[in-house]
Amino acid sequence: MSTSVMVIGAGPAGLQAASTLSHLGFDVTVVEQQQYLGGAVARHQYQVLMPDFSSGPELLRHLIERVNEDPHIKIYTGTSVEDVSESRDIFSITLSGAHAETIQSHAVVLATGFDHFNPARDGKYGYGIFPDVITGAELEEMFAKGPIRRPSNGEVPQSVAFIYCVGSRDRQVGNTYCSRVCCAVSAKQSIELREQLPKARISMFYMDVRTYGLWEDSLYWRSQEEAGVVYVKGRIAEVTEQHGRPVLKGEDTLVRGPFEWPFDLIVLAAGMEPSRGTHDMAKKFQVSLESHGFIKQAHTIHNASLTDHPGVFVAGAASGPKAIEDSIAEGDVASLAVFDYLKAKVTL
Amino acid sequence: MATSPISDKVRTSGWEFITKTVDKRAIMKAAPKDPREELAELEAKGEVKVIHITEENRPIEVETLLGRTKRIPTNKLWHHKSCGQCGNIPGYPTSIMWFMNKLGLEFLDETHQTSCTAWNYHGSGTSNLVALASVAVRNWHRAYETGYFPLIHCGTSFGNYKEMRNLLIEHKDLRDEVRRIMAKVGRELVIPEEIVHYSEWLHVLRHQIAALKIHDLSSIITTVHPACHVWKLVPEDVIYDPNIYGGQRPAPTTAILLALGAQVADYSTWYDCCGFGFRHILTEREFSRSFSLERKIKVMVEEANSDVAITQDTGCTTTLDKNQWIGKAHGYNYELPVMADVQFAALAAGADPYKVVQIQWHTSGWEKLLDKMGVDWRTSKAEYEAYLEELKAGREPEQLYVPPVENLNLH
Amino acid sequence: MSEEAVMTHLRLDPDNVGEQDAESLLEAIKGDVRYEEVIHGCLNCGVCSGSCPSHRFFDYSPRIVVQTVLSGDAQAVKDMMDEYIWACAQCYTCAMRCPFHNSPGGLVMIMREVAVWRGMEAVHRLLKPYGRVLLKVLSIGNQLTPDMIQPDFFPDWGPKIPWSSTDLAIKRKAIPVYTLQVTTSAWRVSPQTSYELYTIYEETGVFRLIEQIDPNLYEVVSDMVEDLRDTIESSR
């Protein structure tokens, strides 16, 4: 009999897992609640990826073509997991939506990803009140669709500020963790912005700049050296509006003390939170969450994909904030862990 | 320019932006414990007595910052008056009582209350936790034995009482010490189910109050000064409403102004304090003056073109109102009337500007505002002046309210 | 900095006024039962100072207060208690914004309390303009009364202030709420209520503190207290 594995979520981690699982000899069903494949990369239409400025659409084409062309992979978009039961190590999974059927799976990979923190939950940023305050994801959409303009009046911004750690590292909003990628993504975006706005003032307001490992010079230094981006150490206290322009209020903790600074466009580096799908699936498949609400890795160091429920594996941002490159790597890690788990039970 | 505080602004660029529902409950995973739940547990164990909100109090439910429910009693209330208001802005408490009479609500205003003493504490440090908690509990117990639920007029009392409630719930040794002291004055340790500010009472009754309006306020541009001790102390207890600034700023005061049909304008120093500073108003007057003028009054006038600054607390009303005249010496020629939300509402509902709203105690010129609102203050002034003469001649004063004899105990 | 667990306390003993050794002051701050709630750690992010009204006007930063206390440098903390922390406006914007859930304003309050209850030199100077408020709060529990608004004290409040203080009794009588028709208190306070308040001040060391740091004020207050006690007790 064939051995089937279900992958839930069709972002970079899930698509990679599906392809690798198929290469390892499994029949794979990919269940995705949206109508499209590619997860956050597709949703926000990332054109240029952190860290290497490679093409987002090209990455998606690569990931999607592989699963589309693979006869052992069934793609169920517009489909959700309704109900799960388990008997003798086999999951019976009832689906709803475009493919309302019940599927037997020997193992499941949860690749349910993240949602961006909604800055409207933290009133001090004025997001949703002042039109020129946008999120980093919205900036990606602007990059995709056309020239950068101020949402309030359609004018070319002469000054742009990035605010770091929005919704991250902040007990006041309930997220005490670092979202890991926003510093580097903001640096990448500032370099891209410079191409469009050769004369604009671009300022980054940070508490720490966390451009890990090889991202340090390739993003953080480069943004200063090549793009003339200015970094100010000080977490923004509040955003208000003066004469139709957002004003940032804060303390330059190293140099100039208190400031009030108007900008034409404010980009909020909104952090990552466990997606709603991650929470729902954790509940349905009875896997534990860690204290921040992501799926708990049973052996964080030993193997990134193990949950505390045998037969259920995790890959990508469902288990914590991470970059696309790490999510894709975890798609492979989870596939190998599934292989390890099933090889003792069934003949391939 | 006046801007609407309602959040559903259309982004003019035509970009498709992500829209998601704001759910502050997501904050709950790291939320502070709900002291009210802990209070219920202590009550169940027989550790403390609780002043409950009953049917008679006709509570109305609202949501606070984290999506928790808070019940605001509207009837049978014990006025926990404010010394700063009664001493210096007497139209503040009278406007509250005037509305309670108008709405046929029952209340008790009597002589067995002290101030919270927290202004002095914040300013001078000449008190301590046990003394503050004992003063709070003494007032709560007095309300408890009358059968009326305490309604806190002052923002600092409101913030301080919430802190005291939380600390009493958390620390058994504090409870024991306060209990010991209460026994000495023949009282017990009691804690109210909710600590309620008058601005919350006004907020939940805003539609009933707006229905009493007789003046058109649609041309009046108001600016709100939210009081620090009302919404920054124990912030998770503050009322938010998705229709007010998208649920991102507290709802009370802004919501009643909108209900009354006035314009509410935003301004860039909305979050700033007034400059009161507790000790600064007495000992660092230069700071209070500069801050209130530079960071509040000037911005309200120049950015928002405001007709009136609306407050919700004691010290802010005084600081913003009293410091404008001296500004002329420094080239600040502003004359922005300042009054509490409840006074503004009372004017709109036809309360006598002199006898009830006691607007004559306010120093920054309010005459133009009242003209714009259509309030005939000239007649009212003449009547008031005649009334003062009659009082001098020995006439008994008119009363909105006189406490029952058993609540006086005067020598 | 001592790593030993600090004994927590609800209040300080007024008889320790004068104990001003830097280490003992820091110990008193860290021993306050609220200390654990007002300070957890510090990211040095500047949200508190960026939000702070006093930071804009004075050489004062709540971030520096938190960092100094966390550093454990008792002498530096003591130096701050002299004047620096008195610039804080106690608005608590810092507490509402701190990503660590610190309350720099709450920390300052504890430091002020320790400075006063240990009778630090600067406190006498800082409290001087506060005498009228203290007298009222100690005798009737009100902090502001109608008769305190006098043109001599508030010349900068403008030409309407003399109106407020002329014929005050009549103007107060014209306020249509019975309890407010008084001039020397914010409302009529029953003697029984003041009597109870005195017991609270006595039991919590507040009277003893005032006796130590402002004997002249204490003399005035204690006369009032005795008179009222006599009246109440003889009427029983």
Side-chain angles (χ1 to χ4, degrees), chain B residues 137-153:
Chain B
V137 172
R138 201 212 67 85
N139 279 323
W140 293 340
H141 185 268
R142 174 57 198 167
Y144 174 74
E145 65 185 4
T146 65
Y148 287 74
F149 196 89
L151 179 73
I152 319 292
H153 290 198

Side-chain angles (χ1 to χ4, degrees), chain B residues 2 11 17 69-70 105 138 190 204 229 245 308 317 399:
Chain B
R11 288 176 189 268
F17 286 92
T69 299
K70 182 171 183 178
L105 299 171
R138 201 212 67 85
V190 293
V204 298
H229 284 198
Y245 288 112
V308 58
T317 312
Q399 307 285 5

Side-chain angles (χ1 to χ4, degrees), chain C residues 6 32 56 62 64 66 69 72 82 86 102 115 119 122 127 135 139 156 160 174 187 200 204 211 214 217 221 227:
Chain C
V6 184
D32 190 290
R56 273 160 209 286
I64 302 295
V66 170
V69 171
D82 227 22
W86 295 87
N102 293 333
L127 290 186
L135 178 62
S139 57
D156 52 341
K160 286 190 186 171
W187 59 81
I200 291 174
T204 55
E211 187 179 1
D214 194 342
L217 175 66
V221 172
D227 284 352

Side-chain angles (χ1 to χ4, degrees), chain C residues 5 18 47 60 62 102 150 160 166 197 221:
Chain C
V47 149
Y60 170 77
N102 293 333
Q150 297 288 343
K160 286 190 186 171
T166 320
L197 185 68
V221 172

